[in-house]
Amino acid sequence: MAPSRLAFEDISKVFPGVKALSEVSFEVAPGEIHALLGENGAGKSTLLRILSGVFRPTQGEVKVDGTVHHFRKPESARQAGIAMIHQELQQVPHLTVAQNMFLGHSLTRLGGLIVDRREQERRAAEALAMIDPSIDPSAPISSLKVAQRQVVEIARALLDRARIVAMDEPTSSLTPSEFDRLAGIIERLAAGGVSIIYVSHKMDEVFRVCRRATVMRDGKVVRTGIDLRASAPDEVIGMMVGRELLAEAHHSHATRTVSVEVRNLSTHRIRDVSFDLHKGEVLGVAGLVGSGRTELLRAISGADRLAAGTVKVDGTTLALSNPRAAIAAGIGLLPEERKREGIIPGRSVTSNMALPSMARFSKAGIINHRKLKRTAEDLLTRVKLRPFQLDRQIKLFSGGNQQKAIIARWLAAGSRILLFDEPTRGIDVGAKSEIYRLIEDLAAGGHGVIVVSSELPEVLRVSDRVLVMRDGAVAAELGRDQMSEETIVSHAVGTTASRIGTA
């Protein structure tokens, strides 16, 4: 019998005080698209870091085409035909596409004295031609869209003649149409014999592109060789979280009292937007990427300068010259780019929680640590932070728990209006359910909540009402009884639902 393309055999990894992986074993066949599933903290990233040579296993072996490999560094894994495509792309913005593709192993001439840029661009163009010939290898990588930058990473894997490509959340920043294109590229790679390990929290994507799956939980393999064509998503999710996630009905807590009045709001990216937000209401904002969803939240939060229009909170017109004015008025923004704009990675979760309200915990410049600790314990218990380690650096927490800490931040600041931009991006299915519950709890407590999301099932799950944006303006306002994926999409693209269904 022919050997598998990739085999993990009894892989364990122990860090000081933590056993991250325990006897992990599974195989991936040549040309297979294999899903690696599990909640954040299940051990998936640790396993992929072992595969890519970043970590060395405490015990166990990695086999490629039947040969045992002991990768001591990423270059060793690359030479063995392994490529890793990270959720956060490992690219240097000011370098060209070709330079990024040859990063770490540049082509040279004259005895290594001069980088042969022309040859690099020629070979890069050859690799790109297989999947997207429209990308210019001489263009700065920063000029490309996220989807194109993903393609560059895949082309780099082809350039290295990779036999195994591991993709960690490759679609977290992609639109549905961009995912469709990526799915086609992945399927062509697999048809050419490349084995793909596909990590994603988006189960619809997993079931579309993958045939088999391995599920991990708490550093162990729960089950491997799962035939996804013969399995239901709920069954697989149950394996991942170790419990059944019950589908929860939507409960509205909206009142008649208007909390926020937005009138004729315009910035450089949005135009003439008007709406009301009621106390206890969850208002969804949907639309295509570039429709102005994020820019609307940035305008309300004072992050972007207004060109025209007004924002009133409880009847008072705000002077939104900066985010401090919005925070003082009780508005809190949970940004889309959580790791870049929402947290200070090297600071503790308590410190991150207290960022906008430190004056509340200090007097004459001296911090009252007892009061700060007491508030942190209360609020972080309320949002169910896990693990409950308040002095731990926030970068060491999962995305879901980082989001919980940011929610606690705005509760500590006394915010009554919360703006969620892509609240569950990069968050696993179990944590998603918890975030939805927190949003509903906030509404039940009288907060006004606005949720921007690219995931239509999420919009439908949490929203009492939906604004659909197109080209920087509100294209439609839909009540609960009018909301459906087809209706939202039809307004977002400016066509009818029937035409979409036949496109």
Side-chain angles (χ1 to χ4, degrees):
M1 184 174 178
S4 59
R5 171 57 48 79
L6 171 67
F8 294 105
E9 297 188 354
D10 296 319
I11 298 288
S12 295
K13 179 62 180 179
V14 179
F15 297 102
V18 179
K19 191 166 189 179
L21 296 175
S22 180
E23 299 177 348
V24 171
S25 298
F26 67 91
E27 298 182 355
V28 180
E32 179 185 0
I33 308 171
H34 192 103
L36 179 59
L37 305 175
E39 293 190 274
N40 288 331
K44 308 184 302 295
S45 294
T46 301
L47 186 67
L48 294 185
R49 287 187 176 113
I50 288 172
L51 176 64
S52 60
V54 176
F55 293 159
R56 296 179 64 185
T58 304
Q59 94 174 32
E61 296 178 334
V62 176
K63 290 183 178 179
V64 177
D65 290 329
T67 301
V68 175
H69 288 267
H70 300 285
F71 303 130
R72 298 182 180 275
K73 55 184 179 179
E75 180 64 16
S76 304
R78 189 185 70 82
Q79 290 174 352
I82 296 167
M84 180 77 195
I85 299 175
H86 300 269
Q87 177 181 357
E88 296 177 7
L89 297 173
Q90 311 293 299
Q91 294 168 333
V92 181
H94 67 271
L95 296 182
T96 68
V97 168
Q99 286 171 324
N100 271 280
M101 289 175 66
F102 283 91
L103 206 59
H105 53 101
S106 299
L107 298 180
T108 59
R109 54 192 175 88
L110 297 180
L113 295 175
I114 299 176
V115 173
D116 194 340
R117 294 185 62 171
R118 181 175 296 179
E119 181 62 15
Q120 285 186 170
E121 290 180 4
R122 187 188 68 78
R123 293 197 193 180
E126 286 182 353
L128 288 164
M130 300 181 198
I131 44 182
D132 189 347
S134 70
I135 296 176
D136 181 0
S138 66
I141 197 83
S142 58
S143 67
L144 272 57
K145 296 179 181 177
V146 173
Q148 292 174 309
R149 292 173 63 184
Q150 289 277 18
V151 168
V152 170
E153 287 294 284
I154 296 170
R156 182 180 183 181
L158 294 177
L159 198 65
D160 291 338
R161 304 184 191 279
R163 293 173 285 170
I164 300 162
V165 177
M167 297 183 170
D168 188 4
E169 296 287 350
T171 67
S172 62
S173 299
L174 303 188
T175 65
S177 61
E178 288 170 338
F179 164 70
D180 289 341
R181 182 174 179 80
L182 179 63
I185 291 170
I186 290 171
E187 288 161 2
R188 291 203 300 276
L189 288 176
V194 177
S195 298
I196 311 287
I197 298 178
Y198 192 88
V199 175
S200 178
H201 296 310
K202 298 181 179 180
M203 299 306 293
D204 55 337
E205 294 180 1
V206 167
F207 274 77
R208 173 173 166 182
V209 302
C210 303
R211 296 295 174 265
R212 293 197 311 150
T214 294
V215 172
M216 294 182 66
R217 189 169 70 241
D218 299 327
K220 301 176 182 178
V221 170
V222 176
R223 189 172 158 192
T224 190
I226 302 165
D227 184 352
L228 294 177
R229 290 165 294 186
S231 305
D234 287 348
E235 177 188 359
V236 176
I237 290 171
M239 296 179 205
M240 292 165 60
V241 301
R243 63 191 186 279
E244 184 180 2
L245 289 181
L246 299 176
E248 297 180 28
H250 175 81
H251 299 288
S252 177
H253 302 280
T255 68
R256 292 180 179 273
T257 304
V258 174
S259 178
V260 180
E261 299 172 63
V262 174
R263 293 292 180 270
N264 308 114
L265 206 65
S266 296
T267 68
H268 65 297
R269 295 294 299 275
I270 60 173
R271 51 192 174 86
D272 203 30
V273 173
S274 297
F275 65 90
D276 289 339
L277 174 69
H278 297 80
K279 289 185 178 179
E281 182 182 23
V282 180
L283 176 65
V285 181
L288 302 178
V289 171
S291 63
R293 303 169 309 172
T294 290
E295 290 77 12
L296 175 60
L297 296 195
R298 288 180 59 85
I300 297 171
S301 67
D304 286 350
R305 185 178 296 276
L306 301 186
T310 58
V311 176
K312 290 184 180 180
V313 172
D314 295 333
T316 301
T317 301
L318 305 186
L320 289 176
S321 56
N322 56 55
R324 288 183 182 178
I327 292 169
I331 298 173
L333 173 65
L334 293 87
E336 177 183 14
E337 297 287 345
R338 182 173 56 249
K339 291 184 179 179
R340 192 175 69 189
E341 300 176 350
I343 63 172
I344 300 177
R347 300 278 289 274
S348 71
V349 67
T350 296
S351 178
N352 272 273
M353 183 211 74
L355 280 175
S357 53
M358 192 58 77
R360 179 184 162 193
F361 304 106
S362 59
K363 188 174 183 180
I366 299 173
I367 298 173
N368 185 334
H369 289 283
R370 182 178 296 179
K371 182 179 180 182
L372 175 57
K373 182 180 179 183
R374 190 166 57 245
T375 302
E377 288 175 344
D378 177 43
L379 292 177
L380 293 168
T381 297
R382 180 175 166 185
V383 299
K384 296 183 173 64
L385 181 80
R386 289 193 300 271
F388 198 73
Q389 298 174 1
L390 306 190
D391 294 328
R392 190 185 195 200
Q393 290 180 331
I394 196 167
K395 68 181 180 182
L396 301 177
F397 286 83
S398 68
N401 282 289
Q402 289 176 2
Q403 193 74 304
K404 292 176 186 178
I406 300 173
I407 293 172
R409 168 190 299 166
W410 296 120
L411 294 177
S415 301
R416 293 158 292 153
I417 300 122
L418 294 179
L419 315 177
F420 287 82
D421 195 354
E422 301 289 358
T424 64
R425 173 165 289 172
I427 292 177
D428 63 59
V429 288
K432 274 189 177 185
S433 182
E434 292 182 335
I435 297 297
Y436 297 157
R437 217 166 293 133
L438 283 170
I439 289 173
E440 185 172 323
D441 288 347
L442 289 167
H447 292 79
V449 182
I450 302 179
V451 175
V452 164
S453 179
S454 300
E455 298 187 32
L456 293 184
E458 180 165 278
V459 172
L460 298 173
R461 164 70 179 82
V462 302
S463 304
D464 298 311
R465 189 164 48 104
V466 171
L467 298 181
V468 184
M469 297 195 68
R470 185 175 71 245
D471 298 329
V474 174
E477 180 180 320
L478 305 175
R480 186 76 197 169
D481 58 346
Q482 301 169 300
M483 290 158 48
S484 69
E485 290 194 33
E486 292 78 12
T487 305
I488 291 172
V489 170
S490 69
H491 288 294
V493 300
T495 185
T496 63
S498 60
R499 280 176 61 192
I500 290 172
T502 58

